[in-house]
Short mmCIF file of all heavy atoms in Angstrom, two decimals:
data_model
loop_
_atom_site.label_atom_id
_atom_site.label_comp_id
_atom_site.label_asym_id
_atom_site.label_seq_id
_atom_site.Cartn_x
_atom_site.Cartn_y
_atom_site.Cartn_z
N PRO H 1 -7.64 -7.92 6.74
CA PRO H 1 -8.36 -7.54 5.52
C PRO H 1 -8.41 -6.02 5.36
O PRO H 1 -8.35 -5.30 6.35
CB PRO H 1 -9.74 -8.13 5.72
CG PRO H 1 -9.86 -8.40 7.18
CD PRO H 1 -8.49 -8.57 7.71
N ASN H 2 -8.50 -5.60 4.17
CA ASN H 2 -8.56 -4.18 3.87
C ASN H 2 -9.66 -3.97 2.83
O ASN H 2 -9.54 -4.51 1.74
CB ASN H 2 -7.21 -3.70 3.35
CG ASN H 2 -7.09 -2.20 3.31
OD1 ASN H 2 -7.90 -1.50 3.89
ND2 ASN H 2 -6.09 -1.73 2.62
N PRO H 3 -10.74 -3.29 3.10
CA PRO H 3 -10.97 -2.47 4.29
C PRO H 3 -11.21 -3.30 5.54
O PRO H 3 -11.49 -4.49 5.47
CB PRO H 3 -12.21 -1.67 3.93
CG PRO H 3 -12.89 -2.42 2.86
CD PRO H 3 -11.83 -3.20 2.14
N THR H 4 -11.10 -2.64 6.69
CA THR H 4 -11.23 -3.32 7.97
C THR H 4 -12.22 -2.61 8.87
O THR H 4 -12.45 -1.41 8.73
CB THR H 4 -9.88 -3.43 8.68
OG1 THR H 4 -10.03 -4.17 9.88
CG2 THR H 4 -9.31 -2.06 9.02
N GLU H 5 -12.78 -3.35 9.79
CA GLU H 5 -13.61 -2.77 10.84
C GLU H 5 -12.85 -2.72 12.15
O GLU H 5 -13.34 -2.16 13.13
CB GLU H 5 -14.90 -3.55 11.00
CG GLU H 5 -15.80 -3.43 9.80
CD GLU H 5 -17.14 -4.14 9.98
OE1 GLU H 5 -17.39 -4.67 11.08
OE2 GLU H 5 -17.91 -4.13 9.03
N GLY H 6 -11.64 -3.31 12.19
CA GLY H 6 -10.91 -3.32 13.46
C GLY H 6 -9.48 -3.77 13.36
O GLY H 6 -8.57 -2.97 13.44
N ILE H 7 -9.26 -5.06 13.16
CA ILE H 7 -7.91 -5.62 13.23
C ILE H 7 -7.25 -5.65 11.85
O ILE H 7 -7.84 -6.11 10.89
CB ILE H 7 -7.93 -7.05 13.81
CG1 ILE H 7 -8.55 -7.07 15.20
CG2 ILE H 7 -6.53 -7.66 13.84
CD1 ILE H 7 -7.76 -6.32 16.25
N VAL H 8 -6.02 -5.16 11.80
CA VAL H 8 -5.18 -5.25 10.60
C VAL H 8 -4.01 -6.15 10.97
O VAL H 8 -3.31 -5.89 11.95
CB VAL H 8 -4.68 -3.87 10.15
CG1 VAL H 8 -3.70 -4.00 9.00
CG2 VAL H 8 -5.83 -2.97 9.77
N ASN H 9 -3.80 -7.20 10.20
CA ASN H 9 -2.69 -8.12 10.44
C ASN H 9 -1.48 -7.67 9.62
O ASN H 9 -1.57 -7.61 8.40
CB ASN H 9 -3.08 -9.54 10.06
CG ASN H 9 -4.23 -10.05 10.87
OD1 ASN H 9 -4.25 -9.91 12.08
ND2 ASN H 9 -5.20 -10.64 10.21
N ILE H 10 -0.38 -7.39 10.31
CA ILE H 10 0.87 -7.06 9.63
C ILE H 10 1.70 -8.33 9.65
O ILE H 10 2.10 -8.81 10.70
CB ILE H 10 1.62 -5.93 10.35
CG1 ILE H 10 0.74 -4.68 10.44
CG2 ILE H 10 2.94 -5.62 9.65
CD1 ILE H 10 1.32 -3.58 11.31
N ILE H 11 1.93 -8.90 8.47
CA ILE H 11 2.68 -10.15 8.36
C ILE H 11 3.91 -9.88 7.49
O ILE H 11 3.78 -9.49 6.34
CB ILE H 11 1.82 -11.27 7.76
CG1 ILE H 11 0.58 -11.49 8.64
CG2 ILE H 11 2.63 -12.55 7.63
CD1 ILE H 11 -0.43 -12.42 8.04
N LEU H 12 5.07 -10.11 8.07
CA LEU H 12 6.33 -9.85 7.38
C LEU H 12 7.02 -11.15 7.01
O LEU H 12 6.65 -12.23 7.50
CB LEU H 12 7.25 -9.03 8.29
CG LEU H 12 6.67 -7.72 8.80
CD1 LEU H 12 7.62 -7.09 9.80
CD2 LEU H 12 6.38 -6.76 7.66
N ASP H 13 8.03 -11.05 6.19
CA ASP H 13 8.86 -12.20 5.85
C ASP H 13 9.44 -12.80 7.13
O ASP H 13 9.93 -12.07 7.99
CB ASP H 13 9.98 -11.73 4.91
CG ASP H 13 10.82 -12.86 4.37
OD1 ASP H 13 10.82 -13.96 4.95
OD2 ASP H 13 11.48 -12.63 3.36
N LYS H 14 9.39 -14.10 7.27
CA LYS H 14 9.89 -14.75 8.49
C LYS H 14 11.39 -14.55 8.68
O LYS H 14 11.91 -14.80 9.76
CB LYS H 14 9.55 -16.24 8.47
CG LYS H 14 8.09 -16.49 8.63
CD LYS H 14 7.78 -17.96 8.71
CE LYS H 14 6.29 -18.16 8.87
NZ LYS H 14 5.93 -19.54 9.07
N ASN H 15 12.09 -14.10 7.66
CA ASN H 15 13.53 -13.87 7.78
C ASN H 15 13.87 -12.55 8.44
O ASN H 15 15.04 -12.26 8.66
CB ASN H 15 14.19 -13.94 6.40
CG ASN H 15 14.09 -15.33 5.81
OD1 ASN H 15 14.13 -16.32 6.52
ND2 ASN H 15 13.93 -15.40 4.50
N VAL H 16 12.88 -11.73 8.74
CA VAL H 16 13.13 -10.46 9.40
C VAL H 16 13.56 -10.74 10.83
O VAL H 16 12.84 -11.35 11.60
CB VAL H 16 11.86 -9.57 9.40
CG1 VAL H 16 12.08 -8.32 10.22
CG2 VAL H 16 11.48 -9.21 7.97
N SER H 17 14.77 -10.31 11.18
CA SER H 17 15.27 -10.58 12.52
C SER H 17 15.50 -9.30 13.32
O SER H 17 15.81 -9.36 14.49
CB SER H 17 16.59 -11.37 12.44
OG SER H 17 17.55 -10.63 11.72
N SER H 18 15.33 -8.16 12.69
CA SER H 18 15.54 -6.90 13.39
C SER H 18 14.21 -6.33 13.86
O SER H 18 13.14 -6.78 13.48
CB SER H 18 16.24 -5.90 12.46
OG SER H 18 15.43 -5.63 11.34
N LYS H 19 14.31 -5.32 14.69
CA LYS H 19 13.11 -4.66 15.19
C LYS H 19 12.44 -3.91 14.05
O LYS H 19 13.09 -3.24 13.26
CB LYS H 19 13.47 -3.71 16.31
CG LYS H 19 12.25 -3.05 16.90
CD LYS H 19 12.38 -2.39 18.22
CE LYS H 19 13.17 -1.37 18.67
NZ LYS H 19 13.04 -0.70 19.87
N VAL H 20 11.14 -4.03 13.95
CA VAL H 20 10.35 -3.37 12.92
C VAL H 20 9.47 -2.34 13.61
O VAL H 20 8.87 -2.61 14.65
CB VAL H 20 9.49 -4.39 12.16
CG1 VAL H 20 8.59 -3.70 11.16
CG2 VAL H 20 10.37 -5.42 11.48
N SER H 21 9.43 -1.15 13.04
CA SER H 21 8.58 -0.12 13.62
C SER H 21 7.52 0.29 12.60
O SER H 21 7.68 0.08 11.40
CB SER H 21 9.41 1.09 14.03
OG SER H 21 10.05 1.66 12.92
N PHE H 22 6.45 0.87 13.12
CA PHE H 22 5.43 1.38 12.22
C PHE H 22 4.88 2.69 12.77
O PHE H 22 4.93 2.95 13.97
CB PHE H 22 4.30 0.38 11.98
CG PHE H 22 3.40 0.15 13.16
CD1 PHE H 22 2.33 1.00 13.41
CD2 PHE H 22 3.62 -0.91 14.01
CE1 PHE H 22 1.50 0.80 14.50
CE2 PHE H 22 2.79 -1.13 15.09
CZ PHE H 22 1.73 -0.27 15.34
N VAL H 23 4.38 3.49 11.86
CA VAL H 23 3.68 4.73 12.21
C VAL H 23 2.39 4.73 11.42
O VAL H 23 2.39 4.46 10.22
CB VAL H 23 4.52 5.98 11.88
CG1 VAL H 23 3.78 7.24 12.28
CG2 VAL H 23 5.88 5.93 12.54
N LEU H 24 1.30 5.03 12.09
CA LEU H 24 -0.01 5.13 11.46
C LEU H 24 -0.40 6.60 11.37
O LEU H 24 -0.36 7.30 12.38
CB LEU H 24 -1.04 4.35 12.28
CG LEU H 24 -2.45 4.31 11.71
CD1 LEU H 24 -2.49 3.47 10.44
CD2 LEU H 24 -3.42 3.76 12.75
N TYR H 25 -0.73 7.04 10.16
CA TYR H 25 -1.12 8.42 9.92
C TYR H 25 -2.57 8.46 9.47
O TYR H 25 -3.02 7.57 8.75
CB TYR H 25 -0.27 9.05 8.81
CG TYR H 25 1.21 9.10 9.12
CD1 TYR H 25 2.06 8.11 8.69
CD2 TYR H 25 1.74 10.18 9.83
CE1 TYR H 25 3.42 8.16 8.97
CE2 TYR H 25 3.09 10.24 10.12
CZ TYR H 25 3.92 9.22 9.68
OH TYR H 25 5.26 9.28 9.95
N ASN H 26 -3.29 9.52 9.86
CA ASN H 26 -4.65 9.69 9.35
C ASN H 26 -4.59 10.33 7.96
O ASN H 26 -3.50 10.59 7.43
CB ASN H 26 -5.52 10.48 10.33
CG ASN H 26 -5.06 11.90 10.56
OD1 ASN H 26 -4.26 12.45 9.80
ND2 ASN H 26 -5.55 12.50 11.62
N SER H 27 -5.74 10.60 7.40
CA SER H 27 -5.80 11.08 6.01
C SER H 27 -5.21 12.46 5.81
O SER H 27 -4.90 12.84 4.68
CB SER H 27 -7.24 11.05 5.50
OG SER H 27 -8.04 11.92 6.28
N ILE H 28 -5.02 13.23 6.89
CA ILE H 28 -4.41 14.56 6.73
C ILE H 28 -2.96 14.58 7.20
O ILE H 28 -2.35 15.63 7.36
CB ILE H 28 -5.24 15.66 7.43
CG1 ILE H 28 -5.40 15.39 8.92
CG2 ILE H 28 -6.59 15.81 6.77
CD1 ILE H 28 -6.06 16.54 9.67
N GLY H 29 -2.40 13.38 7.42
CA GLY H 29 -0.97 13.26 7.72
C GLY H 29 -0.59 13.39 9.18
O GLY H 29 0.59 13.44 9.50
N GLU H 30 -1.56 13.38 10.07
CA GLU H 30 -1.26 13.43 11.50
C GLU H 30 -0.93 12.03 12.00
O GLU H 30 -1.63 11.07 11.68
CB GLU H 30 -2.45 13.97 12.29
CG GLU H 30 -2.83 15.37 11.94
CD GLU H 30 -4.14 15.80 12.60
OE1 GLU H 30 -5.05 14.95 12.76
OE2 GLU H 30 -4.25 16.99 12.92
N LYS H 31 0.14 11.93 12.80
CA LYS H 31 0.51 10.65 13.38
C LYS H 31 -0.49 10.31 14.48
O LYS H 31 -0.71 11.10 15.39
CB LYS H 31 1.92 10.70 13.95
CG LYS H 31 2.38 9.39 14.55
CD LYS H 31 3.86 9.34 14.85
CE LYS H 31 4.23 10.21 16.00
NZ LYS H 31 5.61 10.00 16.46
N VAL H 32 -1.12 9.14 14.37
CA VAL H 32 -2.11 8.74 15.36
C VAL H 32 -1.67 7.56 16.22
O VAL H 32 -2.22 7.31 17.28
CB VAL H 32 -3.48 8.44 14.70
CG1 VAL H 32 -4.06 9.69 14.11
CG2 VAL H 32 -3.38 7.35 13.66
N LYS H 33 -0.65 6.82 15.76
CA LYS H 33 -0.13 5.70 16.55
C LYS H 33 1.24 5.31 16.01
O LYS H 33 1.49 5.41 14.81
CB LYS H 33 -1.07 4.49 16.46
CG LYS H 33 -0.61 3.29 17.29
CD LYS H 33 -1.65 2.18 17.27
CE LYS H 33 -1.21 0.97 18.05
NZ LYS H 33 -1.16 1.15 19.48
N SER H 34 2.10 4.87 16.91
CA SER H 34 3.38 4.30 16.50
C SER H 34 3.75 3.21 17.50
O SER H 34 3.35 3.25 18.66
CB SER H 34 4.47 5.37 16.42
OG SER H 34 4.69 5.95 17.67
N ASP H 35 4.50 2.25 17.02
CA ASP H 35 4.90 1.13 17.87
C ASP H 35 6.03 0.38 17.16
O ASP H 35 6.36 0.69 16.02
CB ASP H 35 3.72 0.19 18.12
CG ASP H 35 3.88 -0.64 19.39
OD1 ASP H 35 4.98 -0.62 19.99
OD2 ASP H 35 2.92 -1.31 19.78
N ALA H 36 6.61 -0.58 17.85
CA ALA H 36 7.66 -1.43 17.28
C ALA H 36 7.43 -2.85 17.74
O ALA H 36 6.82 -3.10 18.78
CB ALA H 36 9.03 -0.94 17.72
N PHE H 37 7.90 -3.80 16.94
CA PHE H 37 7.77 -5.21 17.28
C PHE H 37 8.93 -5.97 16.69
O PHE H 37 9.59 -5.53 15.75
CB PHE H 37 6.42 -5.77 16.84
CG PHE H 37 6.13 -5.66 15.36
CD1 PHE H 37 6.35 -6.72 14.52
CD2 PHE H 37 5.63 -4.48 14.82
CE1 PHE H 37 6.08 -6.62 13.16
CE2 PHE H 37 5.35 -4.37 13.48
CZ PHE H 37 5.58 -5.45 12.65
N ILE H 38 9.20 -7.14 17.25
CA ILE H 38 10.32 -7.98 16.80
C ILE H 38 9.80 -9.18 16.01
O ILE H 38 10.43 -9.65 15.10
CB ILE H 38 11.18 -8.44 17.99
CG1 ILE H 38 11.81 -7.22 18.65
CG2 ILE H 38 12.25 -9.41 17.56
CD1 ILE H 38 12.54 -7.50 19.92
N ASN H 39 8.64 -9.66 16.35
CA ASN H 39 8.05 -10.80 15.67
C ASN H 39 7.68 -10.44 14.24
O ASN H 39 7.57 -9.27 13.89
CB ASN H 39 6.79 -11.23 16.45
CG ASN H 39 6.37 -12.64 16.15
OD1 ASN H 39 6.76 -13.22 15.15
ND2 ASN H 39 5.54 -13.19 17.01
N TYR H 40 7.48 -11.41 13.38
CA TYR H 40 7.11 -11.14 12.00
C TYR H 40 5.61 -10.97 11.81
O TYR H 40 5.13 -10.74 10.71
CB TYR H 40 7.64 -12.24 11.06
CG TYR H 40 7.07 -13.61 11.32
CD1 TYR H 40 5.92 -14.02 10.66
CD2 TYR H 40 7.67 -14.47 12.22
CE1 TYR H 40 5.39 -15.28 10.89
CE2 TYR H 40 7.14 -15.72 12.45
CZ TYR H 40 6.00 -16.12 11.79
OH TYR H 40 5.47 -17.35 12.03
N ASN H 41 4.84 -11.07 12.89
CA ASN H 41 3.39 -10.95 12.81
C ASN H 41 2.92 -10.00 13.90
O ASN H 41 3.29 -10.14 15.07
CB ASN H 41 2.76 -12.33 13.00
CG ASN H 41 1.28 -12.35 12.69
OD1 ASN H 41 0.68 -11.33 12.43
ND2 ASN H 41 0.70 -13.52 12.75
N TYR H 42 2.09 -9.02 13.53
CA TYR H 42 1.60 -8.03 14.49
C TYR H 42 0.14 -7.74 14.16
O TYR H 42 -0.21 -7.56 12.99
CB TYR H 42 2.43 -6.75 14.40
CG TYR H 42 2.08 -5.71 15.42
CD1 TYR H 42 2.67 -5.70 16.67
CD2 TYR H 42 1.14 -4.72 15.14
CE1 TYR H 42 2.35 -4.74 17.62
CE2 TYR H 42 0.81 -3.75 16.07
CZ TYR H 42 1.43 -3.77 17.31
OH TYR H 42 1.11 -2.81 18.23
N ASN H 43 -0.70 -7.69 15.18
CA ASN H 43 -2.11 -7.35 14.99
C ASN H 43 -2.35 -5.93 15.44
O ASN H 43 -2.23 -5.62 16.63
CB ASN H 43 -3.01 -8.30 15.77
CG ASN H 43 -2.95 -9.71 15.25
OD1 ASN H 43 -2.83 -9.91 14.05
ND2 ASN H 43 -3.01 -10.68 16.13
N LEU H 44 -2.66 -5.07 14.51
CA LEU H 44 -2.91 -3.66 14.77
C LEU H 44 -4.41 -3.47 14.94
O LEU H 44 -5.19 -3.72 14.01
CB LEU H 44 -2.38 -2.82 13.61
CG LEU H 44 -2.64 -1.32 13.64
CD1 LEU H 44 -2.05 -0.69 14.89
CD2 LEU H 44 -2.06 -0.68 12.39
N ASP H 45 -4.83 -3.02 16.11
CA ASP H 45 -6.25 -2.86 16.42
C ASP H 45 -6.67 -1.42 16.12
O ASP H 45 -6.23 -0.48 16.78
CB ASP H 45 -6.51 -3.19 17.89
CG ASP H 45 -7.98 -3.17 18.26
OD1 ASP H 45 -8.82 -2.89 17.38
OD2 ASP H 45 -8.28 -3.44 19.43
N LEU H 46 -7.52 -1.26 15.12
CA LEU H 46 -8.02 0.06 14.74
C LEU H 46 -9.45 0.30 15.20
O LEU H 46 -10.06 1.29 14.80
CB LEU H 46 -7.95 0.22 13.21
CG LEU H 46 -6.58 0.15 12.59
CD1 LEU H 46 -6.68 0.33 11.08
CD2 LEU H 46 -5.66 1.20 13.17
N SER H 47 -9.97 -0.57 16.05
CA SER H 47 -11.38 -0.45 16.44
C SER H 47 -11.68 0.85 17.17
O SER H 47 -12.80 1.34 17.10
CB SER H 47 -11.79 -1.65 17.30
OG SER H 47 -11.01 -1.72 18.47
N GLU H 48 -10.71 1.45 17.82
CA GLU H 48 -10.94 2.70 18.55
C GLU H 48 -10.83 3.94 17.67
O GLU H 48 -11.11 5.05 18.12
CB GLU H 48 -9.97 2.82 19.72
CG GLU H 48 -8.52 2.95 19.27
CD GLU H 48 -7.53 2.90 20.41
OE1 GLU H 48 -7.50 1.89 21.12
OE2 GLU H 48 -6.79 3.89 20.56
N TYR H 49 -10.45 3.77 16.43
CA TYR H 49 -10.26 4.90 15.53
C TYR H 49 -11.50 5.15 14.68
O TYR H 49 -12.27 4.24 14.40
CB TYR H 49 -9.04 4.67 14.62
CG TYR H 49 -7.76 4.59 15.41
CD1 TYR H 49 -7.22 3.37 15.77
CD2 TYR H 49 -7.12 5.76 15.82
CE1 TYR H 49 -6.06 3.30 16.50
CE2 TYR H 49 -5.96 5.69 16.57
CZ TYR H 49 -5.43 4.46 16.91
OH TYR H 49 -4.29 4.39 17.65
N GLU H 50 -11.66 6.38 14.25
CA GLU H 50 -12.79 6.75 13.42
C GLU H 50 -12.67 6.13 12.03
O GLU H 50 -11.58 5.79 11.58
CB GLU H 50 -12.86 8.28 13.27
CG GLU H 50 -13.18 8.99 14.57
CD GLU H 50 -13.34 10.47 14.37
OE1 GLU H 50 -13.64 10.92 13.24
OE2 GLU H 50 -13.19 11.19 15.35
N ARG H 51 -13.80 6.03 11.36
CA ARG H 51 -13.80 5.57 9.97
C ARG H 51 -12.99 6.53 9.12
O ARG H 51 -12.94 7.72 9.40
CB ARG H 51 -15.21 5.53 9.42
CG ARG H 51 -16.09 4.52 10.05
CD ARG H 51 -17.46 4.59 9.46
NE ARG H 51 -18.30 3.55 10.03
CZ ARG H 51 -19.54 3.35 9.68
NH1 ARG H 51 -20.10 4.10 8.76
NH2 ARG H 51 -20.23 2.38 10.24
N GLY H 52 -12.38 5.98 8.08
CA GLY H 52 -11.64 6.85 7.17
C GLY H 52 -10.43 6.16 6.59
O GLY H 52 -10.23 4.95 6.71
N LEU H 53 -9.61 6.96 5.97
CA LEU H 53 -8.40 6.51 5.29
C LEU H 53 -7.19 6.73 6.19
O LEU H 53 -7.03 7.81 6.78
CB LEU H 53 -8.23 7.28 3.98
CG LEU H 53 -7.01 6.98 3.14
CD1 LEU H 53 -7.05 5.53 2.65
CD2 LEU H 53 -6.95 7.93 1.96
N TYR H 54 -6.34 5.72 6.29
CA TYR H 54 -5.12 5.79 7.09
C TYR H 54 -3.95 5.29 6.24
O TYR H 54 -4.14 4.52 5.29
CB TYR H 54 -5.23 4.92 8.34
CG TYR H 54 -6.25 5.45 9.32
CD1 TYR H 54 -7.59 5.10 9.21
CD2 TYR H 54 -5.88 6.30 10.35
CE1 TYR H 54 -8.53 5.59 10.10
CE2 TYR H 54 -6.81 6.81 11.23
CZ TYR H 54 -8.13 6.45 11.11
OH TYR H 54 -9.07 6.94 11.97
N TYR H 55 -2.76 5.73 6.61
CA TYR H 55 -1.54 5.28 5.95
C TYR H 55 -0.64 4.65 7.00
O TYR H 55 -0.39 5.24 8.05
CB TYR H 55 -0.82 6.44 5.26
CG TYR H 55 -1.63 7.03 4.14
CD1 TYR H 55 -2.46 8.12 4.35
CD2 TYR H 55 -1.59 6.47 2.87
CE1 TYR H 55 -3.22 8.65 3.32
CE2 TYR H 55 -2.35 7.00 1.84
CZ TYR H 55 -3.16 8.08 2.08
OH TYR H 55 -3.91 8.59 1.05
N LEU H 56 -0.17 3.45 6.70
CA LEU H 56 0.68 2.70 7.62
C LEU H 56 2.08 2.61 7.02
O LEU H 56 2.27 2.00 5.96
CB LEU H 56 0.11 1.29 7.82
CG LEU H 56 0.87 0.38 8.76
CD1 LEU H 56 0.83 0.92 10.18
CD2 LEU H 56 0.30 -1.03 8.70
N LYS H 57 3.04 3.25 7.68
CA LYS H 57 4.44 3.20 7.23
C LYS H 57 5.18 2.21 8.12
O LYS H 57 5.23 2.36 9.33
CB LYS H 57 5.08 4.59 7.33
CG LYS H 57 6.51 4.62 6.85
CD LYS H 57 7.07 6.02 6.90
CE LYS H 57 8.52 6.05 6.43
NZ LYS H 57 9.08 7.40 6.51
N ILE H 58 5.76 1.19 7.49
CA ILE H 58 6.47 0.13 8.19
C ILE H 58 7.93 0.19 7.80
O ILE H 58 8.26 0.28 6.62
CB ILE H 58 5.89 -1.25 7.82
CG1 ILE H 58 4.39 -1.30 8.10
CG2 ILE H 58 6.61 -2.36 8.58
CD1 ILE H 58 3.71 -2.50 7.50
N SER H 59 8.83 0.12 8.80
CA SER H 59 10.26 0.24 8.53
C SER H 59 11.06 -0.74 9.38
O SER H 59 10.75 -0.96 10.55
CB SER H 59 10.74 1.66 8.83
OG SER H 59 12.13 1.76 8.71
N ASP H 60 12.13 -1.29 8.77
CA ASP H 60 13.05 -2.13 9.53
C ASP H 60 14.37 -1.42 9.78
O ASP H 60 15.35 -2.01 10.19
CB ASP H 60 13.29 -3.47 8.81
CG ASP H 60 14.07 -3.32 7.52
OD1 ASP H 60 14.40 -2.18 7.12
OD2 ASP H 60 14.36 -4.35 6.89
N GLY H 61 14.42 -0.13 9.54
CA GLY H 61 15.63 0.66 9.73
C GLY H 61 16.38 0.90 8.43
O GLY H 61 17.05 1.91 8.28
N GLU H 62 16.27 0.00 7.49
CA GLU H 62 16.91 0.14 6.18
C GLU H 62 15.90 0.37 5.07
O GLU H 62 16.16 1.11 4.14
CB GLU H 62 17.74 -1.10 5.86
CG GLU H 62 18.94 -1.29 6.74
CD GLU H 62 19.74 -2.52 6.30
OE1 GLU H 62 19.75 -2.83 5.09
OE2 GLU H 62 20.34 -3.15 7.16
N HIS H 63 14.79 -0.31 5.14
CA HIS H 63 13.76 -0.25 4.11
C HIS H 63 12.44 0.15 4.74
O HIS H 63 12.22 -0.08 5.92
CB HIS H 63 13.60 -1.61 3.43
CG HIS H 63 14.89 -2.17 2.92
ND1 HIS H 63 15.67 -3.02 3.66
CD2 HIS H 63 15.53 -1.99 1.75
CE1 HIS H 63 16.73 -3.34 2.98
NE2 HIS H 63 16.68 -2.73 1.80
N PHE H 64 11.57 0.72 3.92
CA PHE H 64 10.23 1.00 4.42
C PHE H 64 9.23 0.84 3.30
O PHE H 64 9.55 0.86 2.12
CB PHE H 64 10.15 2.41 5.03
CG PHE H 64 10.13 3.53 4.02
CD1 PHE H 64 8.92 4.00 3.52
CD2 PHE H 64 11.31 4.10 3.58
CE1 PHE H 64 8.89 5.02 2.58
CE2 PHE H 64 11.29 5.13 2.66
CZ PHE H 64 10.09 5.58 2.16
N THR H 65 7.99 0.66 3.72
CA THR H 65 6.87 0.59 2.79
C THR H 65 5.70 1.31 3.43
O THR H 65 5.60 1.38 4.65
CB THR H 65 6.50 -0.87 2.44
OG1 THR H 65 5.52 -0.86 1.41
CG2 THR H 65 5.98 -1.62 3.63
N THR H 66 4.83 1.85 2.59
CA THR H 66 3.64 2.52 3.09
C THR H 66 2.42 1.86 2.45
O THR H 66 2.39 1.65 1.24
CB THR H 66 3.67 4.02 2.74
OG1 THR H 66 4.85 4.60 3.30
CG2 THR H 66 2.45 4.73 3.29
N LYS H 67 1.45 1.52 3.29
CA LYS H 67 0.23 0.87 2.83
C LYS H 67 -0.97 1.73 3.21
O LYS H 67 -1.00 2.35 4.27
CB LYS H 67 0.06 -0.51 3.47
CG LYS H 67 1.19 -1.47 3.17
CD LYS H 67 1.20 -1.86 1.73
CE LYS H 67 2.27 -2.87 1.41
NZ LYS H 67 2.33 -3.22 0.02
N LYS H 68 -1.95 1.73 2.33
CA LYS H 68 -3.19 2.44 2.57
C LYS H 68 -4.16 1.50 3.27
O LYS H 68 -4.31 0.35 2.87
CB LYS H 68 -3.78 2.91 1.25
CG LYS H 68 -4.95 3.82 1.38
CD LYS H 68 -5.61 4.23 0.09
CE LYS H 68 -4.76 4.29 -1.13
NZ LYS H 68 -5.48 4.77 -2.31
N ILE H 69 -4.82 1.99 4.33
CA ILE H 69 -5.80 1.20 5.07
C ILE H 69 -7.10 1.98 5.12
O ILE H 69 -7.11 3.18 5.43
CB ILE H 69 -5.33 0.92 6.50
CG1 ILE H 69 -4.04 0.11 6.48
CG2 ILE H 69 -6.41 0.20 7.30
CD1 ILE H 69 -3.41 -0.06 7.83
N ILE H 70 -8.19 1.31 4.83
CA ILE H 70 -9.50 1.92 4.92
C ILE H 70 -10.22 1.34 6.13
O ILE H 70 -10.42 0.12 6.22
CB ILE H 70 -10.32 1.66 3.63
CG1 ILE H 70 -9.60 2.26 2.45
CG2 ILE H 70 -11.73 2.23 3.79
CD1 ILE H 70 -10.17 1.86 1.11
N LYS H 71 -10.57 2.20 7.08
CA LYS H 71 -11.29 1.79 8.29
C LYS H 71 -12.77 2.03 8.05
O LYS H 71 -13.20 3.13 7.77
CB LYS H 71 -10.80 2.60 9.49
CG LYS H 71 -11.64 2.51 10.76
CD LYS H 71 -11.55 1.16 11.38
CE LYS H 71 -12.09 1.08 12.79
NZ LYS H 71 -13.41 1.54 13.05
N MET H 72 -13.56 0.96 8.13
CA MET H 72 -15.02 1.05 7.90
C MET H 72 -15.74 1.35 9.20
O MET H 72 -15.34 1.00 10.24
CB MET H 72 -15.54 -0.24 7.31
CG MET H 72 -14.89 -0.61 6.00
SD MET H 72 -15.14 0.55 4.69
CE MET H 72 -16.79 0.21 4.24
#
């Protein structure tokens, strides 16, 4: 859910077969976390991060999308 108090579920199309990476940025553009996964479902735990606005950039190597996340 967005806004969130902790867990953000990243759910991709089940047809994704390549490695997917993400980078999480804070509101001033600093990278605060990055990781990669192969499964189409990933649970991103933001409970250790301060409240505020974050940007999540998700990429499969060819395409990317950026989503806004509000941490309560």
